[in-house]
Amino acid sequence: MAKKDDKNKGKGKKAKDAHGRQLIAQNKKARHDYLILDTFECGIVLTGTEVKSLRQGRASLVDGFGQIDGGEVWLHNVHIPEYAQGTWTNHTARRKRKLLLHRYEIDKLIGKTQETGHTLVPLVLYFLNGRAKVEIALAKGKKEYDKRQTLREKQDRRESDRAMSAARRRQRVKA
């Protein structure tokens, strides 16, 4: 098994994460700015040049958001740059793209997004078994003090973990 991995090491093969996904883009700031209530894995309708551009690992989810229009879910402002070798068939970088979900998931999202403060935010764009997928989240915007509180909790957790590991190291040295 290790020999097979070594063969593909320098050949441009993208690494896969623990879920078997080939990561393209990630929106790390979304988890800081929003309280994530629920996540959904969606297919995404793309043109050929968009897929080729994604295979090169080029995309940005930073300004992206989801919107429900006419019983369909659409992804807006996700930047997939034009394919360098594309001709007149090339796509526009920030066009709206349709997301593929089951009807019951769309109905659930319609009910939840009508509540005040709820929005759809893309978290991760990846390939799974050769198909482009996007993970969207039903999220609620955080206030500034909520963001500070989350940061403070994260720092406190990190400090306590450091103190615990230091105490364990001291015990091992004594024993």
Side-chain angles (χ1 to χ4, degrees), residues 96-154:
K96 70 178 192 176
R97 296 166 179 93
K98 186 176 179 180
L99 295 179
L100 306 172
L101 287 159
H102 292 284
R103 173 56 49 199
Y104 68 90
E105 291 174 327
I106 294 172
D107 292 340
K108 182 178 178 181
L109 288 175
I110 288 171
K112 292 289 187 176
T113 54
Q114 288 175 348
E115 296 177 24
T116 52
H118 290 81
T119 187
L120 295 174
V121 181
L123 298 177
V124 184
L125 184 62
Y126 55 92
F127 281 109
L128 182 67
N129 299 327
R131 297 177 193 265
K133 303 280 185 180
V134 64
E135 184 176 299
I136 63 167
L138 180 65
K140 187 171 185 168
K142 284 184 182 177
K143 303 281 188 220
E144 194 62 39
Y145 57 85
D146 289 335
K147 294 178 191 177
R148 284 194 293 267
Q149 179 67 28
T150 305
L151 257 167
R152 195 172 304 118
E153 288 171 0
K154 190 176 179 181

Side-chain angles (χ1 to χ4, degrees), residues 50-80:
E50 287 174 323
V51 174
K52 289 180 179 185
S53 185
L54 288 177
R55 291 221 184 271
Q56 293 177 341
R58 300 168 52 205
S60 174
L61 299 173
V62 174
D63 297 328
F65 64 96
Q67 189 174 32
I68 299 172
D69 185 29
E72 297 177 334
V73 183
W74 295 88
L75 191 61
H76 295 267
N77 281 353
V78 171
H79 183 76
I80 300 175

